Amino acid sequence: MHYEKVRWGIIGCGDVTEKKSGPAFQKVEHSELVAVMRRTGELARDYAERHQVPKWYDDADALINDSEVDAVYIATPPGSHMEYTLKAAAAGKPVYVEKPMARTFDECNEMVAACKSAGVPLYVAYYRRAQERFLKIKELLDQGAIGDVRFVSSTQYQKAGDDVKDPERLPWRVQSDVAGGGLFFDLASHTLDILDFLLGPIQEAKGFASNQAGYYEAEDIVTGTYRFASGVQGIGKWCFTAFEHVDMNEIVGSKGKISFSTFGDDPVILTTNEGKEQWSFERPLHVHQPLVETIVKELTEGGDWCPSTGDSGARTNWVMDAIVGK
């Protein structure tokens, strides 16, 4: 399944596609965005006109079955990821699905099985795996810059936004039936996935999840511990109703440590007995673009270029399910 040029269709052309992902499909070589879909046709048409996309739909099935659409990017909330992935696979089309990959590990497994059965690749939008910043961290680890890795610690907390304090208009990200859980599933998934990329798969995980502030029913605090297949151990703390914003990860080894944030632009810092070194990186204008480049290369040239697949994305869901006790 090699394409001279990959013609993309987007299901769910909402906020995330405006700058983070959508334009990347038009800017990457051998790639073009040919169709978009939203349930509200006027919004789909508006997006298509503003981004110079030739076709728009208000029906996902029509986009999936459009013969001029080669591959489908599913940018809807997680509650419909499995449904659309199964339909795209049945139509024989490669799938690029937003993160988290689905609401549960079981849904992920169905998606992986459907794509493998149909012989189509499945990619997941954990785009940090292809960004320079995180590739530098992986390079440092591979070079043995901190010696043997011992453990990793992640601390992420933030204030509760005004949007989650109105029970009549809660955002989908804190509605478990749509998102799989609360903000832990939306945000911590990025951290847990990049740890999988940097340190290998997590083999065991457990934790506690509860709601302390009562703004919504989903969990608003989660603590977890995990053990990687390599023997590295990890601990994570996530709270979404704290007094300030903190985002910090530390990978500690026998000869040093690497400090970095998941979401920020602050430098990657290497600390050893010799002192500190740091590296700064400019955030890509379209954060998905480096990952989309790997997908397009894979679909046009063959080979294994994309570092974020259905298999790796499913592992992150497995870890989250294990931590919150699903």
Side-chain angles (χ1 to χ4, degrees):
M1 186 187 292
H2 291 174
Y3 303 87
E4 285 189 20
K5 192 170 194 176
V6 183
R7 299 172 298 177
W8 290 91
I10 297 178
I11 297 176
C13 51
D15 289 346
V16 72
T17 68
E18 289 288 347
K19 184 177 178 183
K20 286 185 174 183
S21 61
F25 298 105
Q26 296 163 306
K27 292 187 175 183
V28 171
E29 195 175 1
H30 306 304
S31 171
E32 63 180 321
L33 180 58
V34 299
V36 294
M37 173 269 167
R38 281 188 83 162
R39 285 177 298 178
T40 305
E42 282 300 307
L43 294 175
R45 182 173 72 173
D46 173 66
Y47 185 98
E49 289 174 352
R50 286 185 294 105
H51 292 273
Q52 291 81 53
V53 180
K55 295 184 184 181
W56 60 270
Y57 294 99
D58 59 7
D59 175 51
D61 291 342
L63 180 141
I64 289 169
N65 293 299
D66 184 331
S67 62
E68 294 183 351
V69 171
D70 298 319
V72 179
Y73 167 42
I74 300 168
T76 58
S80 54
H81 286 182
M82 184 177 75
E83 174 194 351
Y84 292 139
T85 296
L86 267 52
K87 287 182 175 182
K93 300 189 176 179
V95 179
Y96 179 47
V97 65
E98 262 304 332
K99 44 58 56 185
M101 183 175 162
R103 290 175 294 189
T104 65
F105 179 56
D106 287 345
E107 287 187 349
C108 294
N109 282 339
E110 285 198 48
M111 294 159 68
V112 169
C115 289
K116 284 183 178 174
S117 176
V120 298
L122 173 59
Y123 309 105
V124 185
Y126 286 115
Y127 51 79
R128 284 173 173 78
R129 286 176 174 247
Q131 290 182 349
E132 281 186 308
R133 170 186 180 81
F134 297 95
L135 292 174
K136 179 63 182 181
I137 299 169
K138 188 160 182 62
E139 178 188 285
L140 290 170
L141 291 168
D142 291 345
Q143 289 173 346
I146 63 169
D148 297 325
V149 181
R150 300 302 191 210
F151 68 90
V152 58
S153 172
S154 297
T155 301
Q156 293 170 352
Y157 55 88
Q158 64 190 47
K159 295 179 181 179
D162 291 338
D163 58 339
V164 303
K165 296 178 182 178
D166 180 358
E168 301 302 315
R169 301 177 62 186
L170 287 176
W172 65 260
R173 286 177 172 83
V174 296
Q175 297 179 35
S176 296
D177 57 332
V178 179
L183 293 171
F184 173 74
F185 279 77
D186 185 44
L187 299 176
S189 58
H190 275 294
T191 298
L192 292 167
D193 184 80
I194 206 64
L195 294 182
D196 177 288
F197 175 66
L198 296 172
L199 301 172
I202 289 172
Q203 201 166 51
E204 291 180 75
K206 57 186 71 175
F208 297 95
S210 57
N211 185 294
Q212 294 177 326
Y215 295 128
Y216 44 84
E217 290 186 8
E219 80 290 333
D220 62 13
I221 184 168
V222 176
T223 55
T225 58
Y226 19 93
R227 187 173 65 83
F228 295 77
S230 64
V232 173
Q233 295 191 19
I235 184 168
K237 307 174 288 290
W238 295 270
C239 177
F240 303 101
T241 60
F243 78 106
E244 64 172 351
H245 183 100
V246 169
D247 172 9
M248 177 54 65
N249 305 289
E250 283 191 338
I251 302 176
V252 178
S254 59
K255 296 180 180 177
K257 69 176 181 178
I258 301 170
S259 308
F260 62 98
S261 65
T262 302
F263 301 98
D265 294 322
D266 45 305
V268 171
I269 300 173
L270 169 66
T271 305
T272 65
N273 289 333
E274 282 74 54
K276 288 188 178 183
E277 282 187 80
Q278 62 180 48
W279 296 265
S280 295
F281 299 91
E282 191 172 332
R283 187 189 296 251
L285 178 61
H286 311 295
V287 291
H288 283 245
Q289 189 163 333
L291 187 67
V292 172
E293 286 173 358
T294 69
I295 295 171
V296 171
K297 187 168 185 175
E298 197 167 301
L299 292 177
T300 55
E301 298 180 13
D304 296 320
W305 295 100
C306 181
S308 184
T309 64
D311 289 332
S312 63
R315 291 199 299 267
T316 293
N317 268 87
W318 177 84
V319 174
M320 292 192 294
D321 283 5
I323 288 173
V324 303
K326 278 193 178 182

